[in-house]
Structure formats: C-alpha cells, structure tokens
Amino acid sequence: ATISCEQRSWVYDYLKSKTDSLGLKIYIHLDKKQIPRRDYLEILSQSRCALSVRGMGFDCYRYWEIPAKGSVLVADRLPIDIRDDYVEGEHCFRYVADKKMTDLGRVLEDVKNTSQDRLEEMAIKALLHTARYHTYTKRAQYFVSTVFR
C-alpha cells in the first residue's frame, strides 16, 4: 500500500506509534514493491481481522476482499450508501476517521477484547453476506434487474 491520502497517513502514524501498547500483531506493508496477489490473499485469510483504509476514493477492493477471505473487516464509516453493506457489530467493526485516530484506538481495543469465537462468527456471517450480495454475479443480476424493471 502507499500513502495515497491523508487518512492513510493518519492510520499509519497511529499504528506505528501504538503497535506495542495495543498488544496486537499488526502487519503493515509500505514497500513500493507490491506483495504478490497470492501472498496478499494468504495474509488476509490468516488474519483474524484486517483494516481497510480508503485511498483515493471511498471504495476499494480491500473492503470486499477482507470479508471474502474470512477475516473481519475494520473500516471507517463511509459517507456513501452501499447497498447491502456490512453491518457494524454483525459483520465488521467501524471507526470514525480523524487525525488523532482516537476512535480507531477504541475499535482496536474492542477487537482485542472480542472472543475468538465471536470473531469467527462475525467472519463467517460476513463471508456469507459477501456470497449473497457482493459477488460479480450477484451484482450483475441486481444491475440487470434494476435496469430492466
């Protein structure tokens, strides 16, 4: 990943300064050389949760890849409406992005204090939700049914 927007810089600085005190294993990749896709997806599938930080826009592949690989999504509250979006507390954790990242800290504490069983339950629900609403096929079916109503 690159620091493509101010929010990513805030998150990077926050995580860098809090890694030890959070008591979480945090993987940050900022090398200009991209991780091979297979390795990236393997990292996601082995993670209990993963953070999706928006870049140049509101939406990115990572937002959808995290739940699709069986990890719990941690993302900021987006100012857009996403049809059949992931539900906070059921499929994901959400935070309000600001320069101090105070709310992200609260959410990461929540993640740390959530039982492994509950995280697995959330991941499974999110994976099923992804399969039900967010595959290419499901989105194409929705688009066609909307256009031809």
Side-chain angles (χ1 to χ4, degrees):
T2 59
I3 304 292
S4 59
C5 78
E6 189 174 37
Q7 184 183 345
R8 282 188 178 191
S9 179
W10 298 343
V11 169
Y12 174 73
D13 291 343
Y14 178 81
L15 292 175
K16 198 168 97 176
S17 71
K18 300 287 185 182
T19 299
D20 292 334
S21 64
L22 288 170
L24 298 169
K25 182 181 173 189
I26 298 173
Y27 178 85
I28 300 172
H29 179 82
L30 281 176
D31 192 336
K32 293 203 183 287
K33 185 178 174 193
Q34 194 171 20
I35 299 173
R37 181 150 181 81
R38 177 174 289 195
D39 295 348
Y40 162 72
L41 294 174
E42 183 66 23
I43 290 167
L44 283 184
S45 69
Q46 292 178 1
S47 300
R48 263 193 256 168
C49 22
L51 182 62
S52 177
V53 182
R54 65 176 118 149
M56 300 303 284
F58 294 120
D59 196 3
C60 67
Y61 286 120
R62 193 169 32 265
Y63 188 85
W64 309 105
E65 291 166 340
I66 291 168
K69 292 307 289 180
S71 296
V72 177
L73 174 67
V74 178
D76 66 320
R77 289 191 179 93
L78 299 175
I80 58 173
D81 183 36
I82 297 175
R83 180 178 170 79
D84 299 311
D85 199 2
Y86 300 106
V87 177
E88 184 174 359
E90 185 176 338
H91 307 120
C92 66
F93 293 91
R94 297 211 188 263
Y95 65 92
V96 176
D98 65 11
K99 193 168 187 170
K100 292 184 181 181
M101 286 289 134
T102 307
D103 201 41
L104 176 59
R106 177 196 58 78
V107 166
L108 292 176
E109 281 294 324
D110 288 349
V111 168
K112 186 169 87 172
N113 294 324
T114 300
S115 73
Q116 180 67 32
D117 288 344
R118 177 68 181 129
L119 289 174
E120 286 177 14
E121 178 185 343
M122 290 174 74
I124 290 167
K125 285 182 176 182
L127 180 60
L128 294 172
H129 188 81
T130 301
R132 183 173 183 186
Y133 296 108
H134 298 299
T135 63
Y136 296 115
T137 303
K138 294 295 183 178
R139 287 186 167 190
Q141 288 169 344
Y142 170 73
F143 176 78
V144 168
S145 71
T146 301
V147 168
F148 293 105
R149 266 191 208 165

